[in-house]
Amino acid sequence: CIIDKNDKETIAKIKKAIEVAKDEGKGKWGGKIPANLKTPLRDGDIDRPEDEAYADSMFLNANSKQAPQIVDRQVQPILDQSE
């Protein structure tokens, strides 16, 4: 998700949502937000300077240590790779 830096309203909403999530997650971290907490909002000019698609933009980046699960239409896990 790439957001033009001039779209201040959207960026402000994302920043606010990040702050709410950090506050709600404090209990997970013993009541304090870690100083090195990595948030999903990134500056394209800093993090992807070689890619002009990110120039003058912010972007959302997400990662997880857990692989996403795949489900069928009935929301049942698909465990067989051939499916």
Side-chain angles (χ1 to χ4, degrees), residues 48-82:
R48 305 268 169 92
E50 71 288 345
D51 191 337
E52 62 185 59
Y54 293 88
D56 298 319
S57 299
M58 302 294 284
F59 68 98
L60 292 174
N61 189 41
N63 53 45
S64 175
K65 293 178 183 174
Q66 298 174 330
Q69 293 186 359
I70 301 172
V71 296
D72 63 18
R73 290 183 184 185
Q74 288 75 40
V75 195
Q76 299 301 311
I78 297 175
L79 303 174
D80 183 354
Q81 288 185 348
S82 66

Side-chain angles (χ1 to χ4, degrees), residues 2 5 12 14 16-17 23 32 37-38 51 55 63 74 77 79 81:
I2 300 174
K5 284 185 180 178
I14 293 169
K16 184 176 180 182
D23 191 52
K32 304 192 279 193
L37 181 66
K38 196 171 157 187
D51 191 337
N63 53 45
Q74 288 75 40
L79 303 174
Q81 288 185 348

Side-chain angles (χ1 to χ4, degrees), residues 12-26 29 33 37 39-40:
K13 286 179 182 179
I14 293 169
K15 286 181 177 181
K16 184 176 180 182
I18 290 169
E19 290 305 313
V20 168
K22 284 167 47 176
D23 191 52
E24 288 178 1
K26 273 196 246 185
W29 302 303
I33 298 169
L37 181 66
T39 62

